[in-house]
Amino acid sequence: MTKEYPFFSEGKLVIFNESNKYGYLQPDGSLFKACQYRKTYPFYQGLACIQKKENEIAYLKTNGNELTTQLESDKCILSKGSSFNEKGEAYVQGEAVGVKHCIIDTEGKTLRKAKFSGNTLKNYEFRKPFRFSLIQGTIPPVDGIDVFLKKGKYGFTKKGNTMLPAQFTEASPFKGGYAKVKKHGKYGVLKLSSGNFQGRMIKNSIKVENGKSETVDYQMQIPIGYLNKPVKFEVEEENSGNKTVLSFTESGNDSKDYTFIPTLQDKETEKSYIFSLQADGLLLWEDFQHITIQYIESYPPVLSLPQVASEFKTDSEGYVRADNNNKVDIYATIENRSSETLHITITIGGNGVTEETRSLSVGTSSYGRISTSINDIKERKPVEVFVKTSTGLKQSKIIKVKPFI
C-alpha cells in the first residue's frame, strides 16, 4: 500500500513490494495485477495510468487488459501520460520519429493536440489531486469509526467501543470499508467485516483451599468468520511479561471457553491479567481483568467412635444394661472444622444393629449426629459397631451389652 494513495479506487488499491515494483490489490485480498510495474496510479474513469518502463507508460483497463490508444496504433510509444480527469480526458506524449503531445479520451482516441504556453498546458485540466490524509493528531471519523492513540500505537473504536486494540505505528481512517495501517514496518489494508468480538470473566473471585486453587475461566464470543480460523488466545500476568497460550472448549455456536490455574505466591489476594486474541497477524481482542483471591484453611471432619446414649448405665465389668425392650441406643457424631458447610453421608451399623444412613449438612464448627440401636439383647455379649462416611472415614468399637433382666 502506498503513502500517496492509501485507498481503494474503483475497487483497486495501489500496492508495492520489497523490490519497489507496483501492482493492484482487490477488496477480497487477491491480486488484480501482481507487482511488476515501475509505478502505478489509482483507477479513475475505468482506467489507470501505469509506468511499465522508465520511458514507457500504458493505460490499464478494469478487465486487466491494456488500452490501445490511437497513438500506439500509429506506431508511437507512450512515454508520458496523466491520469484521466473528471471529463474523461488524459494528456499523453507519444514518441516515434518525433514527439506528439495529445489529449485522448477513455477509448484511446486522439481528441486534439496539446497546446503549451511555456511548460503549461493551455487546453487541458489535470485531474484534481487524490487526497487522503494519514493520522496527524485528532481527525474526524470516517465510516463511523474513530482512530485512537494509546502508548504511541493506533487502534480503532466505534461509538466508544474498541474495534481493534492499539497496535499500529500508522493508521488511516476507514473509507468505503477499508483502512491503511502499518505494523512491524509493513503496510497493510484492513477490511470491515460483520460481527463483534466479546469477552468476559465467568467470575472475578476464586478460592484457594489447602493450597489448591480454583480455575480462572474466560469466555469469548467470536464472529462466524473466525470460528474456523486458527486463533491464538493468550493470558499475561500484568507487569510480569509471562504469557501463556490457552486451549479452549466449545461452549456454544459462537463461544469458546478458556481456563487456566493461576500461579500464586505469598498468599496474594489480588492479581491482574491481560487477555488477548490474535489471528491473521492482528490483535483482535484485548481485555484487562482483576481477580480477588480468598484463601480457605480447610480441616478434615472428625468422626467419633460409636457411643452409648447417656441414659444407659455400665456395670463394673463394662457391660451396658439394655432397657425393658432389651435394646441399647447408640450414636456417632461428625464434627465440621472447616470454614464451609459440610455435606456428607454417614452410616452406622453392626451385628444385631439396625443399620441407619443419613445425609447431613453440617455448618462451620458444628456437629452432625446419627443414631440407631442394638436390638433383641438376650444375653451378655460383645457387639462390634461401625460408623462410616461417604468420604471414606470409618470408626468401629466393641460395645458389651446385657439384657434388662
Side-chain angles (χ1 to χ4, degrees):
M1 201 171 174
T2 67
K3 194 171 184 178
E4 299 95 330
Y5 312 115
F7 53 87
F8 280 85
S9 178
E10 298 187 2
K12 309 292 185 294
L13 175 74
V14 174
I15 59 171
F16 66 98
N17 62 16
E18 295 177 353
S19 300
N20 283 325
K21 294 292 185 179
Y22 286 74
Y24 294 95
L25 189 72
Q26 299 186 109
D28 63 1
S30 63
L31 287 172
F32 172 68
K33 282 292 182 180
C35 295
Q36 57 188 296
Y37 303 111
R38 185 180 176 89
K39 187 74 174 178
T40 57
Y41 297 88
F43 272 81
Y44 192 68
Q45 301 282 1
L47 294 160
C49 184
I50 57 173
Q51 186 176 4
K52 301 172 71 173
K53 299 177 183 178
E54 184 175 358
N55 292 307
E56 182 180 353
I57 64 111
Y59 288 94
L60 197 63
K61 297 191 285 187
T62 54
N63 62 5
N65 297 326
E66 292 182 14
L67 174 71
T68 300
T69 64
Q70 186 176 333
L71 284 172
E72 290 169 295
S73 297
D74 293 339
K75 308 302 181 182
C76 289
I77 294 175
L78 301 185
S79 58
K80 294 182 181 179
S82 71
S83 293
F84 279 85
N85 64 15
E86 290 80 358
K87 296 179 180 179
E89 298 177 351
Y91 161 74
V92 292
Q93 178 177 303
E95 297 186 16
V97 177
V99 178
K100 295 182 179 181
H101 302 275
C102 301
I103 311 300
I104 64 172
D105 64 14
T106 56
E107 294 181 357
K109 294 179 180 179
T110 300
L111 298 175
R112 57 188 177 275
K113 291 183 179 180
K115 295 181 180 180
F116 288 86
S117 176
N119 292 324
T120 303
L121 263 172
K122 301 298 292 182
N123 61 342
Y124 176 78
E125 292 184 5
F126 289 95
R127 189 193 187 286
K128 294 178 182 178
F130 292 95
R131 295 188 183 278
F132 197 81
S133 300
L134 291 176
I135 302 304
Q136 298 290 340
T138 302
I139 63 169
V142 180
D143 286 352
I145 299 169
D146 291 293
V147 179
F148 71 92
L149 180 65
K150 182 179 179 180
K151 296 181 179 180
K153 297 291 179 70
Y154 295 102
F156 294 90
T157 64
K158 186 173 184 178
K159 296 181 179 179
N161 297 317
T162 300
M163 292 186 64
L164 273 181
Q167 59 195 288
F168 306 108
T169 52
E170 290 183 24
S172 63
F174 273 88
K175 183 178 181 181
Y178 298 91
K180 174 190 174 182
V181 292
K182 185 179 182 181
K183 186 176 181 179
H184 302 317
K186 295 183 179 181
Y187 287 99
V189 182
L190 300 179
K191 178 183 178 182
L192 284 179
S193 59
S194 60
N196 295 308
F197 293 92
Q198 293 183 346
R200 69 182 185 93
M201 291 279 287
I202 302 301
K203 57 182 179 180
N204 291 90
S205 177
I206 63 170
K207 295 177 181 178
V208 179
E209 186 170 357
N210 290 337
K212 186 177 180 180
S213 173
E214 292 182 318
T215 60
V216 176
D217 302 312
Y218 195 93
Q219 187 176 87
M220 280 295 309
Q221 284 189 307
I222 298 176
I224 294 175
Y226 277 91
L227 284 178
N228 296 320
K229 282 189 176 184
V231 298
K232 182 169 71 171
F233 191 77
E234 288 184 330
V235 60
E236 176 184 356
E237 186 177 334
E238 196 171 20
N239 300 323
S240 75
N242 296 324
K243 294 183 179 181
T244 303
V245 178
L246 303 181
S247 58
F248 70 90
T249 56
E250 297 288 353
S251 56
N253 292 334
D254 60 350
S255 298
K256 299 181 186 229
D257 285 344
Y258 297 88
T259 300
F260 72 97
I261 297 175
T263 301
L264 303 175
Q265 298 176 351
D266 301 326
K267 289 196 172 182
E268 300 163 283
T269 58
E270 184 176 281
K271 291 185 82 73
S272 299
Y273 292 98
I274 305 169
F275 296 92
S276 62
L277 184 74
Q278 302 170 53
D280 294 336
L282 296 173
L283 176 61
L284 300 170
W285 174 263
E286 190 172 56
D287 189 18
F288 298 84
Q289 291 287 344
H290 302 276
I291 62 168
T292 57
I293 304 159
Q294 178 186 0
Y295 292 88
I296 299 172
E297 295 298 336
S298 177
Y299 300 94
V302 176
L303 180 65
S304 74
L305 292 167
Q307 307 287 323
V308 176
S310 59
E311 63 266 23
F312 291 86
K313 304 301 181 183
T314 304
D315 65 18
S316 59
E317 296 179 351
Y319 283 88
V320 179
R321 184 182 181 184
D323 62 14
N324 57 6
N325 292 316
N326 284 323
K327 69 179 180 67
V328 173
D329 293 336
I330 56 175
Y331 69 94
T333 61
I334 185 82
E335 179 187 0
N336 178 18
R337 300 191 301 168
S338 74
S339 58
E340 293 188 330
T341 298
L342 173 67
H343 301 283
I344 199 166
T345 300
I346 186 169
T347 299
I348 188 169
N351 185 27
V353 179
T354 301
E355 187 170 303
E356 291 288 342
T357 298
R358 289 187 64 191
S359 294
L360 302 174
S361 294
V362 185
T364 301
S365 302
S366 298
Y367 292 84
R369 177 173 172 142
I370 187 169
S371 302
T372 189
S373 59
I374 304 171
N375 302 308
D376 198 22
I377 302 170
K378 296 179 180 179
E379 58 183 348
R380 287 173 175 255
K381 63 178 181 178
V383 177
E384 184 176 8
V385 181
F386 71 86
V387 61
K388 61 182 180 180
T389 69
S390 55
T391 58
L393 298 175
K394 187 174 182 179
Q395 296 277 24
S396 65
K397 181 180 180 181
I398 301 296
I399 299 175
K400 297 190 291 185
V401 296
K402 64 181 180 180
F404 179 73
I405 297 177

